[in-house]
Amino acid sequence: MGANPYHNQHIDEFADCVDASLYELQQHYDSIILQQQEQIEQLMERVAALEQKLSPTPFQLELMITKDNLKKLRNTIMGAFRK
């Protein structure tokens, strides 16, 4: 094309540079996605371990309604959420 004998060579070199740049970008983003995937898997393992630790525990309450019993009920319920 045209009078430049190196025209095709320049196009090939440019195409190679673009390919190399795209490859580097893909490697970069692949590594980010891989890190995120590993973090998600670690979080899933931690959640599974926490779920195994949190077995349902029975509540023991007195049925007489008094101020003290209501405080015990409140403390028991709030304590279950804090474990």
XYZ file of all heavy atoms in Angstrom:
680
model
N 0.837 -1.172 0.000
C 0.000 0.000 0.000
C 0.881 1.234 0.000
O 1.629 1.448 0.932
C -0.900 0.024 1.218
C -1.879 -1.079 1.331
S -3.177 -0.463 2.387
C -4.531 -1.322 1.806
N 0.790 1.986 -0.967
C 1.567 3.199 -1.043
C 3.008 2.923 -1.399
O 3.390 1.834 -1.802
N 3.836 3.923 -1.227
C 5.239 3.820 -1.615
C 6.113 3.274 -0.490
O 7.290 3.014 -0.716
C 5.736 5.203 -2.035
N 5.594 3.107 0.698
C 6.401 2.654 1.836
C 6.506 1.129 1.812
O 5.530 0.421 2.003
C 5.755 3.122 3.137
C 6.621 2.832 4.351
O 7.614 2.122 4.251
N 6.240 3.392 5.473
N 7.729 0.606 1.602
C 7.890 -0.855 1.550
C 7.711 -1.526 2.922
O 7.530 -2.732 3.001
C 9.317 -1.041 1.038
C 10.016 0.224 1.387
C 8.994 1.301 1.376
N 7.759 -0.757 3.987
C 7.644 -1.326 5.329
C 6.234 -1.192 5.907
O 6.015 -1.426 7.091
C 8.644 -0.643 6.266
C 10.070 -0.838 5.853
C 10.792 0.204 5.287
C 10.691 -2.072 6.004
C 12.098 0.036 4.889
C 11.997 -2.258 5.607
C 12.701 -1.209 5.047
O 13.996 -1.386 4.652
N 5.275 -0.810 5.055
C 3.915 -0.560 5.527
C 3.335 -1.790 6.248
O 2.844 -1.685 7.379
C 3.023 -0.162 4.356
C 1.603 0.106 4.753
N 1.228 1.245 5.412
C 0.482 -0.644 4.603
C -0.066 1.204 5.649
N -0.546 0.066 5.153
N 3.382 -2.947 5.637
C 2.834 -4.167 6.242
C 3.593 -4.546 7.504
O 3.006 -5.024 8.473
C 2.836 -5.322 5.246
C 1.797 -5.148 4.165
O 0.842 -4.388 4.330
N 1.985 -5.830 3.043
N 4.909 -4.328 7.476
C 5.714 -4.635 8.660
C 5.284 -3.754 9.829
O 5.162 -4.217 10.951
C 7.197 -4.439 8.350
C 8.095 -4.758 9.527
C 9.575 -4.539 9.202
O 9.936 -4.330 8.051
N 10.398 -4.584 10.227
N 5.030 -2.473 9.576
C 4.590 -1.557 10.634
C 3.224 -1.971 11.178
O 2.993 -1.928 12.385
C 4.538 -0.125 10.117
C 5.883 0.444 9.831
N 6.052 1.665 9.217
C 7.142 -0.018 10.041
C 7.345 1.924 9.080
N 8.016 0.911 9.567
N 2.345 -2.376 10.298
C 1.020 -2.833 10.731
C 1.158 -4.077 11.608
O 0.511 -4.190 12.659
C 0.105 -3.095 9.517
C -0.247 -1.764 8.853
C -1.158 -3.840 9.936
C -1.025 -1.909 7.565
N 2.011 -5.007 11.179
C 2.224 -6.220 11.973
C 2.824 -5.897 13.337
O 2.412 -6.468 14.360
C 3.139 -7.206 11.224
C 2.452 -7.841 10.014
O 1.206 -7.818 9.966
O 3.180 -8.345 9.133
N 3.798 -4.984 13.377
C 4.409 -4.607 14.647
C 3.389 -3.933 15.567
O 3.349 -4.189 16.767
C 5.596 -3.678 14.414
C 6.796 -4.370 13.805
C 7.907 -3.404 13.426
O 7.738 -2.173 13.615
O 8.940 -3.886 12.938
N 2.571 -3.062 14.992
C 1.541 -2.389 15.774
C 0.531 -3.405 16.319
O 0.139 -3.357 17.500
C 0.832 -1.327 14.938
C -0.231 -0.585 15.695
C 0.110 0.391 16.616
C -1.577 -0.874 15.501
C -0.855 1.076 17.329
C -2.553 -0.198 16.203
C -2.198 0.776 17.117
N 0.125 -4.337 15.468
C -0.822 -5.372 15.888
C -0.217 -6.222 17.009
O -0.909 -6.586 17.970
C -1.220 -6.236 14.709
N 1.074 -6.534 16.906
C 1.746 -7.301 17.965
C 1.773 -6.522 19.276
O 1.565 -7.094 20.351
C 3.170 -7.664 17.542
C 3.210 -8.703 16.431
O 2.177 -9.386 16.221
O 4.275 -8.823 15.786
N 2.011 -5.219 19.210
C 2.013 -4.382 20.421
C 0.627 -4.347 21.065
O 0.493 -4.444 22.290
C 2.466 -2.965 20.096
S 4.218 -2.816 19.741
N -0.393 -4.213 20.237
C -1.765 -4.192 20.757
C -2.099 -5.542 21.391
O -2.671 -5.603 22.491
C -2.765 -3.837 19.638
C -4.199 -4.053 20.105
C -2.562 -2.405 19.191
N -1.715 -6.627 20.725
C -1.961 -7.965 21.276
C -1.252 -8.148 22.615
O -1.831 -8.686 23.568
C -1.510 -9.050 20.307
C -2.442 -9.211 19.117
O -3.591 -8.730 19.193
O -2.010 -9.837 18.120
N 0.000 -7.695 22.696
C 0.758 -7.826 23.943
C 0.108 -7.002 25.058
O 0.004 -7.459 26.209
C 2.205 -7.398 23.733
N -0.349 -5.801 24.725
C -1.012 -4.952 25.723
C -2.303 -5.582 26.208
O -2.592 -5.596 27.411
C -1.310 -3.571 25.141
O -0.118 -2.899 24.836
N -3.084 -6.105 25.294
C -4.335 -6.764 25.678
C -4.072 -7.991 26.543
O -4.795 -8.251 27.507
C -5.139 -7.149 24.433
C -5.767 -5.994 23.660
C -6.415 -6.496 22.372
C -6.788 -5.270 24.515
N -3.028 -8.740 26.212
C -2.670 -9.916 27.006
C -2.290 -9.504 28.430
O -2.728 -10.126 29.397
C -1.523 -10.673 26.333
C -1.089 -11.885 27.111
C -1.840 -13.054 27.081
C 0.066 -11.856 27.891
C -1.449 -14.169 27.804
C 0.464 -12.961 28.616
C -0.301 -14.118 28.564
O 0.088 -15.214 29.301
N -1.482 -8.443 28.566
C -1.088 -7.971 29.893
C -2.290 -7.491 30.693
O -2.405 -7.768 31.894
C -0.058 -6.852 29.774
C 1.306 -7.325 29.334
C 2.316 -6.186 29.218
O 2.103 -5.141 29.847
O 3.301 -6.367 28.486
N -3.194 -6.763 30.043
C -4.407 -6.323 30.729
C -5.252 -7.510 31.169
O -5.775 -7.533 32.290
C -5.232 -5.409 29.820
C -4.708 -3.990 29.633
C -5.521 -3.272 28.556
C -4.770 -3.219 30.938
N -5.385 -8.498 30.299
C -6.172 -9.682 30.646
C -5.550 -10.413 31.825
O -6.260 -10.847 32.738
C -6.290 -10.616 29.429
C -7.226 -11.780 29.660
C -8.645 -11.324 29.880
O -9.132 -10.463 29.169
N -9.317 -11.893 30.863
N -4.229 -10.541 31.826
C -3.542 -11.181 32.954
C -3.792 -10.406 34.249
O -4.036 -10.992 35.297
C -2.038 -11.274 32.680
C -1.657 -12.239 31.584
C -2.030 -13.652 31.923
O -2.996 -14.185 31.404
N -1.287 -14.257 32.803
N -3.729 -9.095 34.161
C -3.947 -8.242 35.333
C -5.352 -8.456 35.890
O -5.535 -8.680 37.088
C -3.723 -6.777 34.949
C -4.048 -5.813 36.029
N -3.272 -5.658 37.161
C -5.090 -4.950 36.165
C -3.814 -4.751 37.943
N -4.916 -4.296 37.357
N -6.353 -8.375 35.028
C -7.735 -8.520 35.493
C -8.040 -9.954 35.918
O -8.820 -10.171 36.856
C -8.724 -8.032 34.430
C -8.671 -6.532 34.280
C -8.314 -5.941 33.078
C -8.947 -5.691 35.351
C -8.254 -4.560 32.948
C -8.880 -4.313 35.229
C -8.539 -3.755 34.029
O -8.465 -2.394 33.915
N -7.431 -10.922 35.274
C -7.599 -12.307 35.709
C -7.057 -12.507 37.117
O -7.658 -13.219 37.930
C -6.906 -13.274 34.744
C -7.666 -13.460 33.440
O -8.820 -12.997 33.353
O -7.095 -14.066 32.510
N -5.915 -11.884 37.424
C -5.348 -12.033 38.765
C -6.244 -11.362 39.807
O -6.406 -11.877 40.910
C -3.931 -11.469 38.827
O -3.946 -10.058 38.713
N -6.853 -10.227 39.453
C -7.774 -9.562 40.378
C -8.983 -10.455 40.644
O -9.400 -10.643 41.790
C -8.208 -8.190 39.822
C -7.039 -7.206 39.858
C -9.392 -7.631 40.614
C -7.326 -5.887 39.165
N -9.537 -11.018 39.590
C -10.704 -11.892 39.737
C -10.339 -13.137 40.546
O -11.113 -13.586 41.400
C -11.281 -12.255 38.359
C -11.899 -11.006 37.726
C -12.295 -13.382 38.459
C -12.325 -11.174 36.279
N -9.161 -13.688 40.327
C -8.719 -14.857 41.074
C -8.582 -14.528 42.558
O -9.006 -15.309 43.416
C -7.392 -15.374 40.517
C -6.826 -16.620 41.178
C -7.784 -17.793 41.032
C -5.471 -16.964 40.589
N -8.010 -13.371 42.874
C -7.894 -12.956 44.272
C -9.266 -12.798 44.912
O -9.479 -13.219 46.055
C -7.117 -11.650 44.380
C -5.642 -11.779 44.081
C -4.949 -10.414 44.047
O -5.592 -9.383 44.156
N -3.635 -10.434 43.883
N -10.187 -12.194 44.184
C -11.542 -12.023 44.719
C -12.212 -13.375 44.938
O -12.886 -13.580 45.944
C -12.378 -11.162 43.779
C -11.959 -9.714 43.775
C -12.730 -8.882 42.771
O -13.387 -9.400 41.878
N -12.652 -7.566 42.917
N -12.011 -14.280 44.023
C -12.590 -15.611 44.164
C -12.017 -16.316 45.398
O -12.750 -16.944 46.161
C -12.329 -16.447 42.915
C -12.915 -17.847 42.984
C -12.611 -18.657 41.734
O -12.032 -18.165 40.785
N -13.021 -19.903 41.751
N -10.719 -16.201 45.611
C -10.098 -16.813 46.782
C -10.626 -16.196 48.072
O -10.890 -16.900 49.048
C -8.575 -16.673 46.703
C -7.939 -17.532 45.623
C -6.456 -17.227 45.419
O -5.943 -16.255 46.014
O -5.820 -17.969 44.649
N -10.817 -14.872 48.077
C -11.359 -14.203 49.254
C -12.788 -14.647 49.521
O -13.167 -14.873 50.680
C -11.289 -12.687 49.093
C -9.885 -12.136 49.146
C -9.831 -10.640 48.849
O -10.805 -10.054 48.402
N -8.685 -10.033 49.093
N -13.576 -14.810 48.480
C -14.954 -15.267 48.644
C -14.970 -16.687 49.204
O -15.756 -17.000 50.106
C -15.721 -15.173 47.312
C -15.965 -13.705 46.956
C -17.038 -15.941 47.374
C -16.496 -13.474 45.556
N -14.093 -17.542 48.703
C -14.030 -18.919 49.200
C -13.617 -18.942 50.672
O -14.167 -19.719 51.461
C -13.072 -19.742 48.358
C -13.606 -20.054 46.973
C -12.593 -20.754 46.076
O -11.444 -20.986 46.515
O -12.964 -21.059 44.932
N -12.660 -18.086 51.048
C -12.252 -18.016 52.452
C -13.400 -17.536 53.330
O -13.619 -18.066 54.424
C -11.044 -17.092 52.611
C -9.764 -17.645 52.032
C -8.630 -16.624 52.050
O -8.830 -15.474 52.420
N -7.451 -17.051 51.627
N -14.140 -16.541 52.849
C -15.290 -16.057 53.607
C -16.358 -17.137 53.745
O -16.964 -17.288 54.814
C -15.876 -14.812 52.947
C -15.052 -13.535 53.084
C -15.665 -12.423 52.223
C -14.977 -13.095 54.531
N -16.574 -17.887 52.681
C -17.563 -18.971 52.743
C -17.141 -20.032 53.757
O -17.974 -20.558 54.498
C -17.762 -19.582 51.359
C -18.486 -18.650 50.394
S -18.572 -19.251 48.683
C -19.500 -20.750 48.887
N -15.845 -20.331 53.815
C -15.347 -21.296 54.796
C -15.539 -20.770 56.218
O -15.931 -21.520 57.112
C -13.872 -21.607 54.540
C -13.623 -22.410 53.279
C -12.142 -22.548 52.963
O -11.297 -22.088 53.772
O -11.822 -23.105 51.907
N -15.269 -19.477 56.409
C -15.445 -18.886 57.738
C -16.911 -18.891 58.154
O -17.238 -19.183 59.308
C -14.894 -17.464 57.752
C -13.364 -17.418 57.678
C -12.848 -16.013 57.576
N -13.216 -15.214 58.738
C -13.024 -13.915 58.829
N -12.482 -13.248 57.828
N -13.374 -13.260 59.911
N -17.798 -18.581 57.219
C -19.228 -18.604 57.526
C -19.669 -20.017 57.877
O -20.420 -20.220 58.839
C -20.049 -18.033 56.344
C -21.524 -18.322 56.503
C -19.806 -16.543 56.211
N -19.202 -20.999 57.128
C -19.565 -22.390 57.415
C -19.064 -22.795 58.800
O -19.783 -23.462 59.556
C -18.987 -23.318 56.344
N -17.845 -22.373 59.150
C -17.302 -22.699 60.474
C -18.121 -22.018 61.571
O -18.412 -22.625 62.610
C -15.837 -22.275 60.567
N -18.508 -20.776 61.346
C -19.333 -20.075 62.332
C -20.706 -20.719 62.471
O -21.233 -20.834 63.575
C -19.482 -18.602 61.947
C -18.246 -17.735 62.138
C -18.484 -16.345 61.549
C -17.891 -17.626 63.612
N -21.279 -21.147 61.366
C -22.581 -21.810 61.415
C -22.508 -23.108 62.204
O -23.437 -23.460 62.919
C -23.109 -22.068 60.011
C -23.607 -20.826 59.307
C -24.027 -21.078 57.862
O -23.637 -22.114 57.274
O -24.734 -20.215 57.313
N -21.391 -23.825 62.076
C -21.235 -25.070 62.835
C -21.089 -24.788 64.322
O -21.566 -25.554 65.158
C -20.027 -25.856 62.331
C -20.248 -26.471 60.963
C -19.013 -27.189 60.460
O -17.949 -27.126 61.061
N -19.146 -27.872 59.335
N -20.425 -23.689 64.669
C -20.258 -23.334 66.078
C -21.573 -22.906 66.713
O -21.790 -23.098 67.896
C -19.232 -22.205 66.228
C -17.821 -22.629 65.991
C -16.882 -21.456 66.213
C -15.451 -21.831 65.935
N -14.545 -20.696 66.109
N -22.438 -22.285 65.926
C -23.689 -21.762 66.451
C -24.777 -22.833 66.388
O -25.628 -22.826 65.524
C -24.138 -20.529 65.664
C -23.258 -19.301 65.770
C -23.781 -18.207 64.853
C -23.227 -18.795 67.206
N -24.726 -23.737 67.325
C -25.797 -24.718 67.388
C -26.921 -24.144 68.245
O -26.674 -23.367 69.165
C -25.279 -26.022 67.994
O -24.829 -25.787 69.310
N -28.144 -24.488 67.938
C -29.246 -23.928 68.717
C -29.159 -24.363 70.180
O -28.987 -25.534 70.475
C -30.492 -24.500 68.049
C -30.044 -25.425 66.986
C -28.570 -25.378 66.888
N -29.235 -23.404 71.065
C -29.205 -23.696 72.498
C -30.584 -23.411 73.066
O -31.211 -22.410 72.728
C -28.160 -22.833 73.228
O -28.447 -21.468 72.968
C -26.759 -23.144 72.738
N -31.050 -24.277 73.924
C -32.379 -24.043 74.491
C -32.349 -22.879 75.479
O -31.350 -22.642 76.151
C -32.698 -25.358 75.195
C -31.376 -25.993 75.456
C -30.447 -25.509 74.390
N -33.448 -22.179 75.548
C -33.605 -21.085 76.489
C -34.320 -21.624 77.724
O -35.300 -22.365 77.614
C -34.460 -19.961 75.878
C -33.770 -19.224 74.775
C -33.730 -19.738 73.487
C -33.157 -18.015 75.025
C -33.082 -19.056 72.483
C -32.516 -17.322 74.015
C -32.482 -17.849 72.737
N -33.829 -21.230 78.861
C -34.485 -21.604 80.104
C -35.001 -20.334 80.761
O -34.219 -19.464 81.129
C -33.511 -22.323 81.035
C -33.060 -23.656 80.483
C -32.108 -24.363 81.445
O -31.705 -23.804 82.448
N -31.782 -25.589 81.123
N -36.309 -20.265 80.861
C -36.922 -19.072 81.420
C -37.975 -19.469 82.444
O -38.622 -20.499 82.323
C -37.592 -18.231 80.319
C -36.703 -17.764 79.186
C -37.562 -17.126 78.097
C -35.702 -16.758 79.706
N -38.126 -18.620 83.413
C -39.232 -18.794 84.351
C -40.462 -18.170 83.737
O -40.389 -17.178 83.017
C -38.893 -18.116 85.678
C -37.694 -18.726 86.373
C -37.322 -17.972 87.641
O -38.185 -17.261 88.184
O -36.178 -18.104 88.051
N -41.626 -18.730 84.013
C -42.838 -18.245 83.388
C -43.569 -17.189 84.195
O -44.518 -16.605 83.708
C -43.781 -19.410 83.099
C -43.257 -20.405 82.079
C -44.229 -21.552 81.920
C -43.017 -19.731 80.753
N -43.122 -16.933 85.392
C -43.755 -15.867 86.168
C -43.324 -14.524 85.592
O -42.147 -14.284 85.372
C -43.361 -15.957 87.638
C -44.022 -17.104 88.367
S -43.651 -17.098 90.112
C -44.259 -15.536 90.633
N -44.282 -13.660 85.342
C -43.966 -12.361 84.748
C -43.699 -11.371 85.878
O -44.603 -10.963 86.599
C -45.109 -11.871 83.856
C -45.314 -12.867 82.712
C -44.803 -10.485 83.311
C -46.502 -12.569 81.849
N -42.426 -11.044 86.002
C -41.987 -10.033 86.961
C -40.974 -9.151 86.250
O -40.507 -9.471 85.150
C -41.335 -10.671 88.202
O -40.152 -11.352 87.797
C -42.281 -11.647 88.896
N -40.617 -8.058 86.876
C -39.610 -7.183 86.276
C -38.297 -7.934 86.095
O -37.640 -7.811 85.054
C -39.387 -5.941 87.139
C -40.492 -4.936 87.059
C -40.146 -3.708 87.875
C -41.276 -2.694 87.812
N -40.950 -1.472 88.557
N -37.915 -8.696 87.099
C -36.651 -9.442 87.002
C -36.710 -10.480 85.882
O -35.733 -10.664 85.146
C -36.331 -10.119 88.332
C -35.944 -9.134 89.416
O -35.495 -8.017 89.062
O -36.078 -9.472 90.607
N -37.845 -11.172 85.766
C -37.974 -12.180 84.712
C -37.962 -11.534 83.326
O -37.409 -12.093 82.382
C -39.247 -12.999 84.896
C -39.133 -13.936 86.082
O -38.043 -14.235 86.549
N -40.273 -14.391 86.583
N -38.577 -10.378 83.177
C -38.532 -9.687 81.894
C -37.110 -9.248 81.556
O -36.684 -9.306 80.398
C -39.481 -8.489 81.895
C -40.979 -8.835 81.877
C -41.818 -7.572 82.025
C -41.350 -9.576 80.615
N -36.358 -8.818 82.580
C -34.949 -8.457 82.348
C -34.153 -9.684 81.925
O -33.319 -9.621 81.022
C -34.346 -7.839 83.602
C -34.807 -6.439 83.874
C -34.152 -5.899 85.127
C -34.686 -4.513 85.475
N -34.089 -4.006 86.719
N -34.421 -10.832 82.599
C -33.726 -12.072 82.228
C -34.065 -12.473 80.794
O -33.193 -12.895 80.041
C -34.111 -13.206 83.187
C -33.516 -13.095 84.557
C -33.969 -14.265 85.411
C -33.534 -14.120 86.855
N -34.027 -15.225 87.685
N -35.350 -12.341 80.433
C -35.764 -12.663 79.072
C -35.053 -11.780 78.062
O -34.506 -12.261 77.064
C -37.287 -12.510 78.929
C -37.849 -12.670 77.519
C -37.595 -14.074 77.003
C -39.333 -12.350 77.508
N -35.035 -10.480 78.325
C -34.357 -9.543 77.425
C -32.874 -9.873 77.321
O -32.305 -9.930 76.228
C -34.545 -8.111 77.908
C -33.930 -7.095 76.940
C -33.900 -5.698 77.492
N -32.910 -5.687 78.564
C -32.969 -4.928 79.649
N -33.978 -4.114 79.839
N -32.022 -4.978 80.575
N -32.224 -10.121 78.455
C -30.782 -10.434 78.441
C -30.506 -11.737 77.717
O -29.508 -11.866 76.990
C -30.245 -10.475 79.865
C -30.236 -9.120 80.522
O -30.258 -8.086 79.851
N -30.219 -9.094 81.846
N -31.393 -12.720 77.888
C -31.204 -13.997 77.207
C -31.331 -13.833 75.696
O -30.514 -14.352 74.924
C -32.241 -15.029 77.716
O -32.077 -15.174 79.121
C -32.024 -16.367 77.040
N -32.353 -13.106 75.276
C -32.553 -12.906 73.825
C -31.402 -12.091 73.239
O -30.855 -12.437 72.193
C -33.911 -12.217 73.574
C -35.043 -13.187 73.903
C -34.010 -11.752 72.119
C -36.414 -12.575 73.874
N -31.020 -11.020 73.922
C -29.911 -10.207 73.396
C -28.606 -10.983 73.417
O -27.776 -10.841 72.524
C -29.782 -8.916 74.217
C -30.982 -7.980 74.083
S -31.418 -7.602 72.386
C -30.040 -6.588 71.928
N -28.407 -11.835 74.422
C -27.200 -12.657 74.488
C -27.117 -13.640 73.332
O -26.040 -13.960 72.855
N -28.266 -14.131 72.876
C -28.268 -15.084 71.761
C -27.779 -14.404 70.482
O -27.132 -15.034 69.653
C -29.682 -15.633 71.560
N -28.068 -13.131 70.316
C -27.618 -12.414 69.130
C -26.157 -12.013 69.212
O -25.537 -11.724 68.199
C -28.475 -11.168 68.882
C -29.877 -11.503 68.473
C -30.948 -11.208 69.307
C -30.139 -12.109 67.253
C -32.240 -11.509 68.934
C -31.417 -12.407 66.869
C -32.470 -12.116 67.705
N -25.606 -11.975 70.387
C -24.210 -11.535 70.569
C -23.218 -12.671 70.430
O -22.042 -12.448 70.293
C -24.053 -10.871 71.939
C -24.750 -9.552 72.024
C -24.468 -8.865 73.341
N -25.250 -7.641 73.437
C -26.078 -7.352 74.419
N -26.215 -8.176 75.435
N -26.769 -6.240 74.421
N -23.667 -13.910 70.481
C -22.754 -15.066 70.415
C -22.166 -15.224 69.064
O -22.563 -14.926 68.070
C -23.477 -16.340 70.835
C -23.751 -16.380 72.315
C -24.361 -17.692 72.680
C -24.659 -17.727 74.171
N -25.209 -18.968 74.590
